[in-house]
Amino acid sequence: MHRSRTTLAAGAASSIIAFALMAQPAAAQEAGGEVDEVVVTGFRGSLGAARELKRDATIQSDVIVAEDMAKFPDLNLAESLQRLPGVAINREGGEGRRLSLRGLGPDFTRVQLNGMEVLGNVDSPMDSRGQTSRDRAFDFNIFASELFSKVDVRKSFSAEQDEGGMAGTVGLYTAKPFDFGGTRAAVSLQGGTNSATEDFQPRVVGMLSHNFDDRFGVLVSAAWSKRETEEQGYNTYAPSRVTSGGTDISRLSAADQALINAGTLVFQRGNRLSVWGSDQERLGLTASVQWRPADNLTLTLDGLHGEFTNERRELHLATRASQASTILGGSVRHSGVTAPPPRLNAVRYDQHNSVLFADVDNTVFATETRRQSTENTFDQVVLTADWEISDRFRIDGHLGKENSDYDIPVSDKFYTEAFGGLITDYDADGRDARNTYKWDTTDPNNYRAHEIDLSATYQATELENGEVNAAFDVSDALTLKGGLSYRGFRNSGYQQATDDLLKTAWENGTVDDRVNDYYEIFDEHDDQAWLIVDWEKALARYGVTRTLSAPRSIYSVEEDTRAAYLQLDWQASLFGRPVRGNIGARAYETKLTSAGVANVGPVRVEAEYSGVLPALNAVLEVTDSFQIRVAAAQNINRPALSAYAMNGTVSLDANTGFVTVNVGNPNLDPYTSDEFDLSAEWYFGEIGMVSAGVFHKQIDGFVVSQRVTDVPYSSTGLPDNLIAGVGDSRNVNEFTRPINLNDASVTGLELSAQTDFFFLPGFLKDMGVVANVTVIDSDTTYPNGESGEIWGMSDLTHNVTLYYETARWGARISSNYRSEYPIDGGGFRATTYVDAAAFWQLTDKVRLTLDGVNLTDEREIQFNGAEAKRLWNATHSGRTVFVGANIQF
């Protein structure tokens, strides 16, 4: 695997160097004025504008600029960002969702919208991908890309930036009326479909702007879309070593029986055919008002409203506990009838003793029919001011507030149970599996109702932010900057649930558990059809009303941060060449309050921390077209919200006196890192650029979950007598909480290039390429004491976009590769996503568009076991194609 990664990296690097060598003679000709002028428009214009912003920046950064009004290069912001070096994304239902930067996961990347930090409380329908997770990551699928005019990625830290975002900061900027002259309007209409859902997916975007002579301007925009998604495949859960119990293993060889009885073989606790479907609707509204009451003062008021709703359906045909249950023994059958003991007829396993093949009779099956409604709303209002008091003194700042609510008012599961035989055959490479069912999975007489679980989850996030910055030009070469900021952050939530309806009556045989009155047959999975339930008919059949428990798992986390900075921007000369940069320091103080309701009562804990972060950035212009950047800084990253939350459990076993405590830890310190960057950039032609850079981060205080035994209760930080008799004088037998423990390091190489083929003859000069590769090496210590790569980090990513563009038509195709990466308990296999886009400029104002997403229907494969790499999930979500028109007025 390492050899193939090295080969890919070397190939990409060679390609980048080749682009540079091919372009060099042509660039020299252009400098001499012998090359015809190239008109830069569309995708090419976007690349050119982004290049100039990168070139002029003092920090390490990359930029994406809209091609035109209401026309971003990709349909999804994350999918645009993945074209940048060092960026990797994960997808949900084929759509870009979250972003990892320079090897660090989404929790380490701060996202700002119009200058304010933004968090969107969106989750995944899959438990293994972060169901209702509480972290600091942002889900990019909440907003349509057409609402934004620019996105930048700041990879190095400067004192004037807000602290946090150890991996970097992504800045999102909505369009402003002063960006356009006079009256401008744009409408984008698209319709698409997906090969898995075969539905019609409309997308409508409108933007209207009027600029009154750069004195007053108003811009409004709206984006609405609707689509179905379906991700389906095969998944497993909870591998474990088990012994035979009551299972008949007499048909196996003596050697295989001995391995099973010794608990040597690893069986998956369950496997299932699965479908995750969703009906999604997205609405985004923006408004921007700009007023220039004087030539030296500009006021901007921005507002954004977003809604993202999902009606989800999750369907599974599962072995209730698969072969592992088979080995453990029999189960109680429907209506109180005991099932025959399970029988294992044949088994095959690999060198890791992971079972690859099993033929079993009388095992337990279940279907899960899950319904879920999710509602995500986001609102932001921010007032920005820029005041040039004099030629040498400037003040700017903003005041803003945002709210993000994520509610799952309905998350219900209905289980049926059945018995029968199954042959399971896993691929040796852990990429796929096949089930052969020895019974009719579509006959309702084979099923009985077993259990109903009802639940709801609610989360709310609020942010208040204010900052003021001042800049004074000491001289033409020196500018002194300083500023103050306040950020008040609140996150809270709770759950409600009513579980195990029917289960007791089912076990006692006192309920009519036949499903004939309310079943349906689901036949849309690639491999098998099976029985599911009609929810309304099923609840009516058993007289169940949807009544939930009182709120539980209640928590709230409050962070109040005050910060100040001083920074000196400077220009000088080194060896006769211009050099510019900044140096400064940022001081911060954060007060944290974490409150929650444990299983026995309310808990409230307060903590605070502070620090000073130095930063240096410098750029040396070696020639007019070649420059070198260097950066060194310290930065922090605050832990995930779930690590702070005080909504754990305290328990006392009345028989044994065994005390266990499991809680969050509001006394966690932020991660800290020492960061270094060095890069070289060569600019040529209209849009040409080649860059190479190395970076290193030395991170302290990684958070891990620690379990200790026999510690004083006083060390838990909890109040006395949450449970009678449990206080400072008592020892806790088992105490689990997150702590700052591990250090980590990240070292990487980034290579990127973009150019037109202007050095080629004829129509070939209208072609171009954008390519980059990032190679990363990381090291940390896992909770079990072993060392390895940082969870969530791919050590190789590369992206290539090949395009052809004229004033009349254009097309491009993009490939994005992300190598295998580990997570807690397993990892994800490597993926390559291929997207494409084309346009035809019908008139000066009307552009017809064609977009294709995930054209190869790439599979997402998740595994468990770092060495065995047993199959965990293998899913695919189909290809998506859109056709449409963009109309400019």
Side-chain angles (χ1 to χ4, degrees):
M1 177 177 295
H2 291 292
R3 181 180 301 173
S4 64
R5 289 171 179 168
T6 303
T7 302
L8 287 167
S14 300
S15 299
I16 290 172
I17 294 170
F19 294 147
L21 293 176
M22 288 188 297
Q24 188 172 6
Q29 286 183 351
E30 183 182 83
E34 299 179 14
V35 176
D36 293 337
E37 181 181 358
V38 177
V39 178
V40 180
T41 59
F43 182 68
R44 181 181 287 110
S46 172
L47 293 176
R51 184 192 76 158
E52 294 310 306
L53 291 171
K54 175 182 176 67
R55 185 176 189 171
D56 295 340
T58 304
I59 62 173
Q60 299 274 358
S61 67
D62 290 289
V63 186
I64 301 173
V65 178
E67 298 177 18
D68 207 334
M69 193 179 201
K71 182 66 181 76
F72 215 70
D74 293 273
L75 300 178
N76 175 278
L77 286 173
E79 291 157 24
S80 284
L81 285 164
Q82 74 176 345
R83 317 292 178 217
L84 299 177
V87 174
I89 68 171
N90 64 348
R91 301 201 185 198
E92 196 75 64
E95 185 178 41
R97 181 186 171 213
R98 288 189 167 189
L99 180 149
S100 297
L101 181 58
R102 286 186 161 184
L104 295 174
D107 232 19
F108 293 85
T109 302
R110 183 180 58 229
V111 179
Q112 293 181 325
L113 173 59
N114 293 325
M116 284 184 60
E117 186 171 357
V118 57
L119 298 104
N121 295 318
V122 182
D123 74 344
S124 168
M126 296 178 64
D127 294 333
S128 61
R129 295 184 188 169
Q131 171 92 201
T132 60
S133 57
R134 286 178 279 123
D135 53 27
R136 298 180 186 275
F138 178 72
D139 278 353
F140 285 87
N141 59 3
I142 187 175
F143 297 126
S145 64
E146 292 91 341
L147 298 177
F148 298 91
S149 61
K150 185 182 73 171
V151 176
D152 63 26
V153 179
R154 284 157 272 171
K155 298 178 178 178
S156 66
F157 180 66
S158 62
E160 61 187 337
Q161 297 179 37
D162 289 339
E163 75 286 348
M166 187 180 292
T169 296
V170 176
L172 310 177
Y173 303 90
T174 56
K176 307 292 188 289
F178 286 176
D179 296 341
F180 310 100
T183 301
R184 287 285 305 275
V187 175
S188 177
L189 305 172
Q190 290 181 301
T193 190
N194 177 273
S195 60
T197 58
E198 298 182 350
D199 63 320
F200 176 67
Q201 302 182 0
R203 290 172 63 102
V204 180
V205 180
M207 186 175 292
L208 174 64
S209 174
H210 187 77
N211 182 345
F212 296 88
D213 298 323
D214 284 341
R215 284 296 180 183
F216 185 79
V218 178
L219 182 147
V220 294
S221 67
W224 173 85
S225 63
K226 189 173 184 179
R227 70 171 191 146
E228 291 184 32
T229 68
E230 183 177 280
E231 196 165 357
Q232 65 164 271
Y234 190 101
N235 68 350
T236 68
Y237 43 96
S240 57
R241 300 178 186 273
V242 292
T243 55
S244 60
T247 298
D248 178 2
I249 60 173
S250 61
R251 298 192 178 190
L252 303 182
S253 69
D256 288 346
Q257 291 184 45
L259 289 175
I260 290 173
N261 287 324
T264 302
L265 297 187
V266 179
F267 289 83
Q268 299 286 3
R269 180 172 172 266
N271 64 52
R272 59 190 186 180
L273 305 182
S274 301
V275 173
W276 293 267
S278 179
D279 294 333
Q280 298 180 353
E281 188 168 2
R282 180 191 289 113
L283 174 67
L285 304 173
T286 75
S288 180
V289 178
Q290 289 187 291
W291 180 36
R292 190 168 286 141
D295 291 341
N296 64 342
L297 176 62
T298 301
L299 302 175
T300 303
L301 179 64
D302 288 303
L304 187 146
H305 171 77
E307 298 178 10
F308 189 36
T309 60
N310 274 293
E311 294 296 328
R312 292 175 177 163
R313 56 201 175 278
E314 183 177 335
L315 308 172
H316 304 284
L317 172 61
T319 49
R320 188 66 168 173
S322 193
Q323 283 74 33
S325 176
T326 301
I327 301 303
L328 288 171
S331 175
V332 177
R333 188 167 181 161
H334 49 74
S335 303
V337 178
T338 302
R343 182 176 64 237
L344 188 60
N345 302 311
V347 67
R348 187 173 69 248
Y349 41 89
D350 63 13
Q351 70 272 24
H352 303 288
N353 292 318
S354 296
V355 172
L356 299 178
F357 176 91
D359 180 346
V360 62
D361 291 325
N362 303 325
T363 193
V364 188
F365 291 87
T367 69
E368 177 184 331
T369 305
R370 185 177 189 179
R371 63 177 184 179
Q372 194 175 66
S373 298
T374 71
E375 304 168 359
N376 185 30
T377 59
F378 178 90
D379 293 285
Q380 183 197 71
V381 176
V382 56
L383 175 65
T384 304
D386 293 279
W387 186 17
E388 295 187 12
I389 298 176
S390 70
D391 292 341
R392 301 175 63 185
F393 186 50
R394 299 172 298 280
I395 292 178
D396 67 77
H398 70 251
L399 290 172
K401 182 174 182 178
E402 62 188 34
N403 294 281
S404 178
D405 295 330
Y406 184 61
D407 299 335
I408 310 178
V410 176
S411 185
D412 302 339
K413 302 178 183 179
F414 195 113
Y415 294 98
T416 70
E417 189 155 299
F419 292 82
L422 175 71
I423 298 174
T424 294
D425 189 1
Y426 297 100
D427 285 356
D429 62 4
R431 295 177 181 273
D432 209 349
R434 288 153 299 282
N435 283 355
T436 302
Y437 297 87
K438 301 181 181 180
W439 57 288
D440 186 354
T441 59
T442 63
D443 183 354
N445 297 306
N446 289 330
Y447 294 87
R448 292 296 185 269
H450 177 264
E451 182 181 337
I452 301 174
D453 298 330
L454 310 175
S455 66
T457 303
Y458 300 90
Q459 295 187 46
T461 300
E462 178 181 319
L463 177 68
E464 295 178 342
N465 183 217
E467 69 173 46
V468 59
N469 308 289
F472 178 70
D473 295 332
V474 179
S475 67
D476 292 341
L478 296 176
T479 299
L480 181 63
K481 295 180 177 180
L484 303 171
S485 70
Y486 166 79
R487 186 170 64 254
F489 172 74
R490 312 283 184 271
N491 179 258
S492 60
Y494 64 92
Q495 298 177 353
Q496 294 176 282
T498 301
D499 296 331
D500 296 337
L501 295 173
L502 297 185
K503 189 174 182 180
T504 301
W506 179 85
E507 291 174 346
N508 295 332
T510 58
V511 65
D512 183 356
D513 52 11
R514 291 170 295 181
V515 301
N516 301 64
D517 293 340
Y518 52 83
Y519 79 94
E520 297 177 350
I521 299 300
F522 177 74
D523 59 3
E524 297 178 14
H525 194 278
D526 294 340
D527 299 330
Q528 188 79 15
W530 67 86
L531 179 145
I532 62 175
V533 302
D534 181 308
W535 266 99
E536 299 308 322
K537 290 181 180 179
L539 294 182
R541 172 68 178 78
Y542 296 109
V544 174
T545 57
R546 198 172 183 281
T547 303
L548 300 179
S549 67
R552 63 189 191 189
S553 297
I554 303 171
Y555 75 93
S556 68
V557 176
E558 300 180 5
E559 281 181 350
D560 290 300
T561 299
R562 292 168 174 81
Y565 76 92
L566 282 176
Q567 178 175 300
L568 183 66
D569 292 359
W570 46 270
Q571 299 179 41
S573 178
L574 182 64
F575 305 121
R577 296 300 306 174
V579 60
R580 66 184 190 276
N582 60 56
I583 186 170
R586 185 178 189 89
Y588 65 91
E589 180 186 63
T590 297
K591 294 184 177 180
L592 176 76
T593 302
S594 179
V597 176
N599 62 319
V600 290
V603 179
R604 181 183 177 90
V605 180
E606 296 182 351
E608 63 180 77
Y609 55 85
S610 60
V612 178
L613 304 172
L616 167 70
N617 294 270
V619 182
L620 172 63
E621 299 177 14
V622 180
T623 70
D624 292 343
S625 59
F626 181 73
Q627 59 188 28
I628 296 175
R629 296 181 187 272
V630 63
Q634 290 183 338
N635 203 352
I636 65 168
N637 206 93
R638 295 179 172 90
L641 301 172
S642 56
Y644 285 136
M646 293 295 294
N647 58 337
T649 60
V650 179
S651 63
L652 170 64
D653 189 305
N655 296 320
T656 65
F658 197 89
V659 178
T660 60
V661 177
N662 189 337
V663 293
N665 184 2
N667 292 307
L668 289 172
D669 292 323
Y671 315 139
T672 61
S673 70
D674 296 325
E675 306 175 352
F676 306 94
D677 284 85
L678 175 65
S679 66
E681 302 161 1
W682 176 40
Y683 298 88
F684 57 90
E686 293 287 342
I687 68 165
M689 177 184 68
V690 174
S691 68
V694 293
F695 60 88
H696 177 77
K697 297 178 187 290
Q698 187 65 43
I699 305 170
D700 297 327
F702 248 46
V703 172
V704 299
S705 180
Q706 181 192 58
R707 179 178 295 176
V708 294
T709 58
D710 295 324
V711 297
Y713 181 82
S714 58
S715 68
T716 68
L718 299 175
D720 286 349
N721 297 316
L722 289 174
I723 291 181
V726 178
D728 284 349
S729 61
R730 184 130 189 185
N731 265 17
V732 174
N733 300 92
E734 191 173 274
F735 177 37
T736 304
R737 65 171 178 172
I739 65 167
N740 296 103
L741 180 64
N742 293 341
D743 296 339
S745 65
V746 179
T747 303
L749 167 69
E750 291 179 346
L751 303 173
S752 66
Q754 65 181 48
T755 183
D756 282 334
F757 294 161
F758 58 83
F759 44 85
L760 296 179
F763 72 93
L764 294 177
K765 68 180 180 181
D766 294 320
M767 296 181 64
V769 68
V770 182
N772 64 71
V773 60
T774 303
V775 183
I776 297 176
D777 179 64
S778 73
D779 183 71
T780 190
T781 304
Y782 299 141
N784 61 7
E786 297 180 358
S787 62
E789 296 175 324
I790 295 176
W791 285 339
M793 194 213 74
S794 294
D795 57 14
L796 175 65
T797 60
H798 57 74
N799 310 278
V800 179
T801 297
L802 182 66
Y803 65 90
Y804 183 90
E805 185 171 277
T806 69
R808 179 60 62 184
W809 71 279
R812 67 179 183 271
I813 186 167
S814 301
S815 170
N816 170 260
Y817 171 83
R818 180 177 187 179
S819 67
E820 183 178 288
Y821 61 94
I823 61 171
D824 187 7
F828 281 85
R829 299 281 188 177
T831 56
T832 300
Y833 280 91
V834 178
D835 305 320
F839 76 90
W840 177 266
Q841 196 71 39
L842 190 63
T843 70
D844 291 342
K845 303 296 185 183
V846 179
R847 170 181 288 196
L848 304 182
T849 61
L850 174 66
D851 292 274
V853 180
N854 189 21
L855 294 180
T856 59
D857 191 13
E858 179 72 339
R859 299 173 75 222
E860 289 279 352
I861 301 175
Q862 196 172 351
F863 60 85
N864 54 44
E867 294 185 7
K869 295 185 178 179
R870 294 175 289 266
L871 178 65
W872 190 349
N873 292 305
T875 63
H876 68 104
S877 55
R879 306 168 182 84
T880 302
V881 177
F882 283 93
V883 296
N886 181 274
I887 306 168
Q888 301 284 326
F889 300 95

